[in-house]
Amino acid sequence: MSPVPRSTPFWMRAWFVTTSLIVLWDAAYCLLRPHSMEGGKYFVFFSPYKLYGTVDKLYGPEAIEDNNGFTGAQAFMNLIEISLGLLFVRMVGNKNYTQGQANLVGFSASILTLAKTILYWLMEVFSAMEHTKHNDWMTWIFLWVIPNGIWLVVPSIISLNLGRDLFQRLEHGKTE
């Protein structure tokens, strides 16, 4: 078995930092609705959501009118996800934490992202595509599947990498 890695790849740290900014913006849009929507006092910061709200009705005015709480609930979960991801980045390379401790936090953050995203996709599937079926195929693929699919692919890769590392650390009895 290969030795336990002692560092975190740059791409992984970059993912957590970059997506934390994107997901924070998304959470802010969701939690500030209707003020973040067109006509709202914060719309200037969230104008791309005017288009996305037509692609995914969970982000549009229909969800507000229907009192659909899923978008707000997942936005709240986003805040936990962001906190864990940024904590991971802070822990990596900090002498007060072992690599194993950091990797456990990073693994937890990526599993949370993955589980939340799978729930988001499954909710759409089990609701007969209630929020996206109105789109043509090109719009659905390029503005819903691909952007949301990234949050399935990359966290899966991170979870597998950090999970493998955690297993190796447990097998070798290493905590650093």
Side-chain angles (χ1 to χ4, degrees), residues 116-134:
K116 184 193 63 171
T117 307
I118 290 169
L119 177 63
Y120 189 76
W121 280 67
L122 288 175
M123 193 187 81
E124 191 62 12
V125 169
F126 282 102
S127 70
M129 309 304 277
E130 177 184 354
H131 308 102
T132 62
K133 69 182 170 194
H134 61 280

Side-chain angles (χ1 to χ4, degrees), residues 102-163:
N103 288 356
L104 179 59
V105 172
F107 177 78
S108 300
S110 63
I111 289 294
L112 177 58
T113 301
L114 188 56
K116 184 193 63 171
T117 307
I118 290 169
L119 177 63
Y120 189 76
W121 280 67
L122 288 175
M123 193 187 81
E124 191 62 12
V125 169
F126 282 102
S127 70
M129 309 304 277
E130 177 184 354
H131 308 102
T132 62
K133 69 182 170 194
H134 61 280
N135 293 295
D136 61 68
W137 280 101
M138 293 296 281
T139 301
W140 186 69
I141 295 291
F142 286 101
L143 296 180
W144 197 85
V145 170
I146 292 173
N148 289 297
I150 292 168
W151 267 261
L152 291 173
V153 173
V154 178
S156 293
I157 294 168
I158 291 173
S159 296
L160 289 171
N161 279 290
L162 294 180

Side-chain angles (χ1 to χ4, degrees), residues 1 4 6 11 20 27 29-30 38 49 52 71 76 88-90 101 105 114 121-123 127 131 140 145 152:
M1 186 157 267
V4 176
R6 298 208 36 94
W11 71 266
S20 290
Y29 170 79
C30 295
E38 186 173 25
Y49 282 96
Y52 193 74
T71 312
F76 184 82
F88 167 71
V89 171
R90 182 175 181 267
Q101 290 170 324
V105 172
L114 188 56
W121 280 67
L122 288 175
M123 193 187 81
S127 70
H131 308 102
W140 186 69
V145 170
L152 291 173

Side-chain angles (χ1 to χ4, degrees), residues 49-65:
Y49 282 96
K50 180 180 178 183
L51 170 61
Y52 193 74
T54 66
V55 174
D56 185 343
K57 291 182 181 180
L58 278 173
Y59 279 75
E62 297 90 346
I64 297 288
E65 293 163 8

